[in-house]
Amino acid sequence: PACEGDVTYTYTFTDCEGNTHDWVYTYTIERLDFTMPANQGSTVACAADIVAPTVPAVTDNCGNTLTPSAPVVSATPACEGDVTYTYTFTDCEGNTHDWVYTYTIERLDFTMPANQGSTVACAADIVAPTVPAVTDNCGNTLTPSAPVVSATPACEGDVTYTYTFTDCEGNTHDWVYTYTI
């Protein structure tokens, strides 16, 4: 049989007078369940780093290589979290087991450009500075908060524009532009 069932050996005994009788030996093939390798996983910094994993070789209990199903891939989280690839292996008898590869997305902190500044002669010369482009560690552009502007001194001193950048994971950094009057 292709998978389970019986295989019979039939021996026919005949005496000199022509009487015949069969003796039958029957092998019943009953497939046992197969074992799976352990699930695996790894950590990546960005969802873009995720690729289809290398699936392990799996054999049924008789040593035949099993072909997995196409993977079922979970949704990609908005920032951090897990993405799973689930492959199902099925033997000819109908035993099924899943092998799961889990990618854990763990965002790394981003880096900021250096703070900047300039000198002006009068407070009236101060305008909102050009804010640098800042990206998170996966290349996504971050939008800064509205600036927090310090008080203007009566004559000479500093006026700072502070912009806060926050990535989806909650890492925050300030970029400060200082006008020196």
Side-chain angles (χ1 to χ4, degrees):
C3 185
E4 290 189 333
D6 292 339
V7 174
T8 59
Y9 282 74
T10 303
Y11 296 88
T12 301
F13 292 88
T14 306
D15 64 13
C16 64
E17 201 274 315
N19 295 313
T20 62
H21 293 285
D22 291 340
W23 180 79
V24 179
Y25 191 92
T26 302
Y27 285 100
T28 299
I29 302 171
E30 177 61 42
R31 294 283 178 122
L32 299 176
D33 199 358
F34 60 98
T35 57
M36 288 292 294
N39 292 333
Q40 295 180 345
S42 61
T43 300
V44 294
C46 305
D49 298 332
I50 295 174
V51 296
T54 301
V55 181
V58 176
T59 58
D60 67 11
N61 219 25
C62 292
N64 301 306
T65 299
L66 300 177
T67 302
S69 66
V72 174
V73 183
S74 67
T76 302
C79 186
E80 288 189 333
D82 291 340
V83 174
T84 59
Y85 280 69
T86 303
Y87 296 85
T88 301
F89 290 85
T90 305
D91 68 9
C92 67
E93 200 273 321
N95 296 310
T96 64
H97 296 285
D98 290 340
W99 181 78
V100 180
Y101 193 96
T102 302
Y103 283 102
T104 300
I105 302 170
E106 180 60 45
R107 292 288 181 118
L108 301 176
D109 199 358
F110 61 98
T111 56
M112 289 291 294
N115 292 332
Q116 295 178 354
S118 61
T119 301
V120 293
C122 303
D125 297 332
I126 295 174
V127 296
T130 300
V131 180
V134 177
T135 58
D136 67 10
N137 214 34
C138 293
N140 301 305
T141 300
L142 299 177
T143 302
S145 66
V148 174
V149 182
S150 65
T152 303
C155 185
E156 288 188 337
D158 291 338
V159 174
T160 59
Y161 279 70
T162 302
Y163 296 85
T164 301
F165 290 85
T166 305
D167 68 8
C168 68
E169 200 270 326
N171 297 309
T172 63
H173 297 285
D174 290 338
W175 180 78
V176 180
Y177 193 96
T178 303
Y179 283 103
T180 300
I181 303 170

